[in-house]
Amino acid sequence: MMIIKRFKLIILITLSSSFCIAQAPKKPMAQLINEEFKFALDQYKVLAKNIPAGLTPQSFANNKSINHDIKWWCSGFYSGSLWYLYEQTKDASIKQEAEKALKVIEPNQTYTGHHDLGFMMYCSFGNAYRLTGKPAYKQVIQRSAESLSTRYRPNIKSIQSWNKNQYWECPVIIDNMMNLEMLNWASENGGSPKYKDIAITHSNTTLKNHFRDDFSSYHVIDYNPETGAVLRKATWQGAANCSAWSRGQGWALYGYTMMYRFTKNEAYLKQAKGIAHFILNHPNLPADKIPFWDFDAQGIPFAKRDASAGALIASALLELGQFSSGDEKAEFKSAAETMIYALASPAYRAKLGENGGFLLMHSTGAYPLNSEIDVPLVYADYYYLEALLRYKKWYL
């Protein structure tokens, strides 16, 4: 009996701690955003010192920096974050570091080994071109779009995510929605119309096969590459085939919001809003709105959080709010605000000089694979900075 009482007390303390984060006195958002960019500028100068030549930063664990080869799917987030920092601070040394980081990953423009060229080359070169207008950067984006288009499989009407292996025949993951932004942009900026056609077809196939009736998404759909038939609906990084992996829901939310921006297809907007309401109304979403690594994770409320999912969802909600009105717009903005305030708090944001130079703590990469659990992740920082920028641009 005593054990049960203690267990209940721990749960109450855990939940009340999250509530305190969400309800603590808040500084004005304009002030918070300016302070966060100043901090990020100084912190990323620390991170820059921890990156060996020819590699890109990923995480920090056991007091050791973790860096990867440029073909790793996250290789574009570091330079993308640097461009966001330069946009806000105009710091010349950060621009120089951003240009250096682009040179490292430039060979990826011809890579066709997986589907993540959008993450790798649009988050990086896309932001670089947006801020500088250099024709060479645009050429890299266009070449990258062509490389990505080679993974389109007409039989399944989708871009194949991973290559065939011992687990999958022709897998398509919900993350793939994020890589469509580069295809859309390339077509609208002088590239082949086929890129946008592929993006739309892929989105429609995903809409048909990836989602449950409650707007939650499976992680992986495995197809028969010859007939296009669905072989199975499963997960790789989620808690179970039937669960809602948190970052996957974020990819879906962001992806369909972005697709609506490019196409104005109301079906995409309806899907994005349905996903948003699934996330925000889920009984397992904590008070600070930073999700557990899976909405159905075992051990909630003691399950690990995923700050990367929180940052991603906050950024997506801010854009979705631009396509909404009334109470719905207010709901999306308010939820994103709660997430930003939480991520900026000591509960998630590192101290200067710590955390290997990364901004956010407590992300979860792939819990079932015992990979990147409760660590900083480079893409958590990227979408956090993007959320701050979007709030400043659209809501201040």
Side-chain angles (χ1 to χ4, degrees), residues 293-331:
W293 69 273
D294 191 295
F295 283 99
D296 304 293
Q298 186 178 15
I300 289 174
F302 305 106
K304 297 296 184 183
R305 300 293 189 95
D306 185 6
S308 74
L312 167 68
I313 291 168
S315 183
L317 286 172
L318 290 171
E319 179 167 26
L320 185 57
Q322 295 298 291
F323 305 132
S324 308
S325 60
D327 291 343
E328 203 168 42
K329 180 184 181 77
E331 177 189 8

Side-chain angles (χ1 to χ4, degrees), residues 106 109 125 128-143 185 189:
E106 188 173 339
Q109 65 185 297
F125 283 88
Y129 181 73
R130 179 175 62 85
L131 295 174
T132 68
K134 287 187 176 181
Y137 294 160
K138 182 178 181 180
Q139 291 171 8
V140 170
I141 299 168
Q142 292 289 356
R143 185 64 187 84
W185 187 92
N189 288 271

Side-chain angles (χ1 to χ4, degrees), residues 32-49:
L32 179 142
I33 290 172
N34 289 336
E35 290 177 356
E36 286 303 285
F37 272 107
K38 183 180 184 305
F39 163 77
L41 177 67
D42 294 336
Q43 185 76 337
Y44 260 50
K45 289 180 178 180
V46 174
L47 176 60
K49 297 177 182 178

Side-chain angles (χ1 to χ4, degrees), residues 115 151 156 158-165 167-173 176 202 210 219-225:
H115 68 118
R151 295 192 64 85
I156 68 169
S158 288
I159 298 168
Q160 183 173 348
S161 298
W162 307 322
N163 296 331
K164 179 179 178 179
N165 57 48
Y167 304 106
W168 316 102
E169 287 294 316
C170 187
V172 176
I173 63 175
N176 211 337
H202 180 100
H210 254 87
H219 182 202
V220 190
I221 304 298
D222 197 19
Y223 291 93
N224 181 317

Side-chain angles (χ1 to χ4, degrees), residues 156-335:
I156 68 169
K157 295 185 166 99
S158 288
I159 298 168
Q160 183 173 348
S161 298
W162 307 322
N163 296 331
K164 179 179 178 179
N165 57 48
Q166 60 181 319
Y167 304 106
W168 316 102
E169 287 294 316
C170 187
V172 176
I173 63 175
I174 193 62
D175 320 36
N176 211 337
M177 289 297 302
M178 301 293 287
N179 295 298
L180 307 182
E181 185 168 13
M182 180 172 71
L183 296 180
N184 282 298
W185 187 92
S187 285
E188 292 189 359
N189 288 271
S192 170
K194 74 176 181 180
Y195 303 145
K196 188 169 186 176
D197 290 343
I198 288 172
I200 291 171
T201 303
H202 180 100
S203 297
N204 292 340
T205 303
T206 300
L207 196 61
K208 177 182 176 182
N209 295 326
H210 254 87
F211 291 94
R212 308 179 184 99
D213 290 342
D214 63 0
F215 290 95
S216 67
S217 170
Y218 292 93
H219 182 202
V220 190
I221 304 298
D222 197 19
Y223 291 93
N224 181 317
E226 303 301 325
T227 68
V230 173
L231 298 176
R232 62 179 172 132
K233 300 185 176 186
T235 193
W236 187 244
Q237 288 167 266
N241 291 343
C242 59
S243 75
W245 173 50
S246 297
R247 195 164 60 253
Q249 311 316 301
W251 297 140
L253 172 64
Y254 193 113
Y256 279 98
T257 303
M258 172 271 297
M259 285 301 300
Y260 177 74
R261 184 208 317 154
F262 279 102
T263 67
K264 295 301 181 283
N265 184 336
E266 290 293 331
Y268 298 157
L269 181 60
K270 178 182 177 182
Q271 188 69 16
K273 289 182 177 182
I275 298 164
H277 289 305
F278 170 83
I279 292 170
L280 298 179
N281 296 325
H282 200 287
N284 288 339
L285 183 68
D288 66 3
K289 301 192 187 306
I290 307 303
F292 298 103
W293 69 273
D294 191 295
F295 283 99
D296 304 293
Q298 186 178 15
I300 289 174
F302 305 106
K304 297 296 184 183
R305 300 293 189 95
D306 185 6
S308 74
L312 167 68
I313 291 168
S315 183
L317 286 172
L318 290 171
E319 179 167 26
L320 185 57
Q322 295 298 291
F323 305 132
S324 308
S325 60
D327 291 343
E328 203 168 42
K329 180 184 181 77
E331 177 189 8
F332 298 151
K333 177 190 174 188
S334 176

Side-chain angles (χ1 to χ4, degrees), residues 7 60 62 104 171 175 190 211 334 369 385:
F7 183 73
F60 183 79
N62 301 316
V104 172
D175 320 36
F211 291 94
S334 176
L369 306 179
L385 293 173

